[in-house]
Amino acid sequence: YKAHQIDSLLALFDPSMKTNPYYIEMKERADIIRKVAPGQIAPDFSAKTPDGEEFKLSYLRGKYVLIDFWASWCAPCRAETVETQKLHRDFHDKGLEIYSFSLDSDAKAWRDAIEKDGMPWHHGSDLVGGKISPVAAVYGIDGIPAIWLIGPDGVIIAEGVRGEKLYGICEGIFTE
């Protein structure tokens, strides 16, 4: 759902419902979605690389960045890696950085998937696992793969796009 859709639904509620836990939960969800929508500055975060080093999203400021939330145990995520490899192959040298944030809790499974799937770009994880990851919470992750495209100024260009549509957006950005 988009924030405006939730807002429209909440507007139908009687004002007395504003203290209802379900109303509050829906309002909080809309607020999270609003913060990571196109036109907003992408929230910065810090995570460990597979080698245990600290890496911040903001280290990539000044470049186009694709953030890909995924996990080694997620079959659709692993399938999407093929599309991400095309993006990396065709647009990395033109200025696209890819940062895959894993929702794994098993460091070995995470590292093995990176190697097996051939993912030669930036990686990070807090190894908390799933939706309880603080980073996943900031981005409102409720399913993966989840993808954001961010401009050099840190502003979100697109979210929730994958495959050919995402490739087309990148093609438009990087075609001279």
Side-chain angles (χ1 to χ4, degrees):
Y1 290 101
K2 303 288 184 197
H4 74 275
Q5 293 170 310
I6 297 172
D7 292 340
S8 295
L9 182 60
L10 290 174
L12 301 174
F13 283 79
D14 185 271
S16 66
M17 293 296 293
K18 290 185 178 181
T19 58
N20 181 288
Y22 296 113
Y23 181 97
I24 293 168
E25 185 178 335
M26 288 174 63
K27 173 88 170 76
E28 288 172 352
R29 177 77 182 144
D31 291 343
I32 289 170
I33 294 169
R34 204 177 333 279
K35 289 177 185 173
V36 292
Q40 300 299 311
I41 297 289
D44 195 15
F45 59 87
S46 180
K48 296 284 187 190
T49 67
D51 296 330
E53 300 294 321
E54 200 73 21
F55 191 87
K56 289 185 173 189
L57 174 63
S58 57
Y59 292 171
L60 300 172
R61 188 64 61 91
K63 298 184 178 195
Y64 286 91
V65 180
L66 177 78
I67 303 177
D68 170 30
F69 288 87
W70 74 293
S72 66
W73 44 261
C74 169
C77 300
R78 304 285 293 269
E80 187 68 25
T81 297
V82 174
E83 299 299 323
T84 307
Q85 288 167 333
K86 289 179 197 171
L87 292 167
H88 186 265
R89 180 192 67 228
D90 294 349
F91 303 116
H92 177 71
D93 289 344
K94 295 179 180 183
L96 178 67
E97 295 290 340
I98 298 172
Y99 185 30
S100 290
F101 184 89
S102 173
L103 298 183
D104 278 284
S105 58
D106 180 336
K108 183 177 181 339
W110 172 43
R111 287 192 295 268
D112 288 351
I114 292 168
E115 185 177 333
K116 182 178 181 191
D117 291 359
M119 301 166 70
W121 47 80
H122 302 284
H123 293 273
S125 182
D126 52 22
L127 293 174
V128 173
K131 292 193 274 186
I132 61 171
S133 159
V135 175
V138 167
Y139 276 79
I141 303 298
D142 62 358
I144 52 176
I147 297 171
W148 276 260
L149 182 61
I150 302 165
D153 55 1
V155 173
I156 297 169
I157 296 170
E159 64 89 17
V161 293
R162 295 170 31 192
E164 290 180 24
K165 185 173 181 183
L166 179 57
Y167 191 93
I169 293 169
C170 289
E171 203 168 37
I173 290 169
F174 295 109
T175 300
E176 289 132 1

